[in-house]
């Protein structure tokens, strides 16, 4: 749901040129991911954007689908891509496409990683110059305060492929920007907004409204079952990451730290480790988002409805 919102925001941004959308395993299998992406492009009339199929499992060959949270199918009532649309998936593998595009436009490409980073890690290992040729990398990140959304410690994107996350954070020399889950949760939108958005009658606007409502309902279910340390309201995680990639001024406050990923802990595997005291002396620091300009964030969501 939040992936769809993020894509719609990027599609609506006048200053963004989307070179490609690359798919990876995530809350559902790779084929459903590709289908969902095509559905969003179809309802937004943007089928000219190339879509590439990538990794179907983690680097270790594991698949952790979490379809119970987001569902296996596309958004309710969204147009399902027909056979001709499915053929729109390019034959070139996502990793090769990423490397080719970055080589054609060195220093100009911003990569936004909204899911597990298997494709990104593979690109770095297969093409060693890839990490230095990106303009910047934006990551939908992890908890940094030992919270969870799939286990005691650890969140879905990192826990699903910890080795990939570790490779990315240790190999990439371009600017790395991380929207932590705490950053998103501390900037919740009022639940009432879910019913107020998308007053336009367009198919895309109504779909955006449905996605927002589904996200709000999911947030309420989590709050009722687990309680919330961050107040009430709903949060569309990937949308915050995309908003910052579209307009960096959406982030009002940020901090730079060395970061790593725990790979061996029996309870903490997949955790994002933030070296706030610089004990590890890591040469490359990541930018961690702290405060969001909520008015600018809301404006981007409104634009996505038109």
């Amino acid at each position: 749901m939040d992936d769809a919102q993020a894509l719609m925001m990027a599609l609506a941004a006048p200053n963004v040129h989307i070179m490609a959308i690359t798919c990876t395993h995530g809350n559902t299998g790779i084929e459903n991911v590709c289908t969902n992406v095509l559905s969003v492009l179809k309802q937004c009339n943007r089928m000219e954007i190339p879509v590439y199929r990538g990794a179907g499992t983690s680097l270790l060959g594991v698949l952790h689908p979490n379809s119970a949270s987001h569902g296996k199918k596309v958004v309710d009532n969204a147009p399902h891509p027909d056979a001709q649309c499915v053929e729109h998936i390019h034959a070139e593998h996502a990793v090769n496409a990423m490397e080719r595009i970055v080589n054609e436009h060195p220093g100009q490409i911003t990569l936004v990683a909204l899911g597990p980073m298997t494709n990104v890690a593979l690109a770095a290992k297969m093409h060693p110059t890839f990490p230095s040729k990106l303009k910047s990398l934006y990551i939908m990140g992890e908890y940094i305060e030992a919270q969870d959304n799939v286990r005691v410690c650890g969140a879905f994107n990192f826990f699903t492929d910890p080795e990939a996350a570790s490779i990315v954070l240790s190999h990439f020399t371009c600017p790395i920007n991380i929207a932590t889950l705490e950053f998103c949760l501390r900037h919740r939108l009022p639940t009432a907004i879910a019913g107020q958005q998308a007053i336009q009658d367009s198919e895309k606007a109504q779909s955006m409204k449905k996605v927002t409502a589904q996200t709000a309902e999911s947030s309420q279910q989590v709050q009722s079952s687990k309680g919330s340390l961050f107040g009430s309201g709903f949060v569309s995680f990937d949308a915050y990451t995309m908003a910052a990639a579209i307009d960096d001024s959406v982030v009002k406050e940020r901090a730079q730290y060395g970061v790593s990923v725990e790979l061996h802990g029996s309870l903490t595997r997949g955790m994002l480790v933030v070296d706030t005291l610089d004990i590890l002396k890591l040469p490359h620091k990541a930018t961690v988002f702290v405060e969001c300009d909520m008015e600018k964030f809301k404006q981007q969501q409104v634009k996505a409805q038109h």
Side-chain angles (χ1 to χ4, degrees):
M1 295 176 288
D2 50 343
D3 301 78
Q5 283 187 307
L7 284 177
M8 288 180 177
M9 290 166 65
L11 292 167
N15 62 320
V16 171
H17 178 55
I18 301 175
M19 300 294 292
I21 299 175
T22 57
C23 303
T24 188
H25 62 101
N27 285 306
T28 187
I30 185 66
E31 296 304 326
N32 273 333
V33 172
C34 294
T35 298
N36 290 346
V37 168
L38 290 175
S39 179
V40 172
L41 293 180
K42 185 174 183 180
Q43 67 194 45
C44 294
N45 296 314
R46 296 296 303 275
M47 293 299 290
E48 81 280 2
I49 297 174
V51 179
Y52 300 90
R53 182 188 291 103
T57 66
S58 72
L59 292 179
L60 299 185
V62 180
L63 179 61
H64 294 286
N66 189 28
S67 58
S69 296
H70 295 270
K72 295 181 180 180
K73 298 185 295 184
V74 294
V75 179
D76 291 341
N77 298 324
H80 195 282
D82 52 29
Q84 186 175 2
C85 287
V86 172
E87 291 177 358
H88 182 75
I89 301 290
H90 287 233
E92 186 179 16
H93 193 279
V95 173
N96 294 330
M98 290 162 60
E99 191 270 341
R100 173 180 53 77
I101 292 169
V102 169
N103 272 340
E104 292 171 352
H105 307 276
Q108 300 178 57
I109 301 296
T110 294
L111 176 60
V112 185
L114 299 179
M117 287 186 283
T118 312
N119 288 339
V120 188
L122 286 170
K125 298 300 286 185
M126 293 173 64
H127 309 283
T129 62
F130 179 81
S132 63
K133 290 183 178 180
L134 284 171
K135 178 181 179 181
S136 57
L137 171 64
Y138 285 79
I139 298 172
M140 178 60 252
E142 253 274 5
Y143 285 107
I144 57 175
E145 297 176 7
Q147 302 295 317
D148 80 283
N149 73 356
V150 291
R151 49 181 285 159
V152 175
C153 295
F156 184 81
N157 284 353
F158 277 42
F159 172 71
T160 299
D161 197 341
E163 281 73 22
S166 178
I167 288 171
V168 171
L169 295 183
S170 62
H171 283 62
F172 277 62
T173 55
C174 68
I176 297 176
N177 304 274
I178 302 176
T180 67
L181 270 70
E182 287 91 349
F183 170 77
C184 303
L185 289 166
R186 289 196 171 100
H187 296 91
R188 291 175 176 269
L189 290 168
T191 303
I193 290 180
Q196 296 172 359
Q197 287 187 333
I199 58 175
Q200 293 82 11
D201 293 328
S202 71
E203 183 178 63
K204 185 179 75 169
Q206 293 306 311
S207 179
M208 184 72 166
K209 182 177 180 179
K210 289 184 177 70
V211 170
T212 305
Q214 286 177 262
T215 305
E217 181 181 358
S218 177
S219 295
Q220 287 180 315
Q221 290 174 353
V222 170
Q223 288 173 30
S224 61
S225 63
K226 295 185 178 180
S228 176
L229 299 174
F230 302 95
S232 60
F234 79 98
V235 57
S236 178
F237 294 102
D238 291 330
Y240 293 88
T241 311
M242 186 64 77
I246 293 170
D247 179 4
D248 195 55
S249 69
V250 166
V251 182
K252 295 172 63 175
E253 183 181 348
R254 65 201 76 207
Q256 288 197 322
Y257 302 113
V259 292
S260 186
V261 178
E262 175 58 55
L263 297 179
H264 305 293
S266 61
L267 297 176
T268 57
R269 175 169 159 77
M271 276 190 65
L272 174 65
V273 179
V274 179
D275 185 15
T276 58
L277 300 179
D278 199 27
I279 294 173
L280 301 177
K281 304 299 180 185
L282 297 173
H284 301 292
K285 312 300 183 186
T287 296
V288 178
F289 299 158
V290 177
E291 184 179 354
C292 179
D293 186 323
M294 290 305 293
E295 286 306 311
K296 290 186 176 181
F297 177 68
K298 292 175 187 175
Q299 288 172 13
Q300 286 197 31
Q301 289 208 319
V302 170
K303 288 180 182 178
Q305 301 165 20
H306 293 278

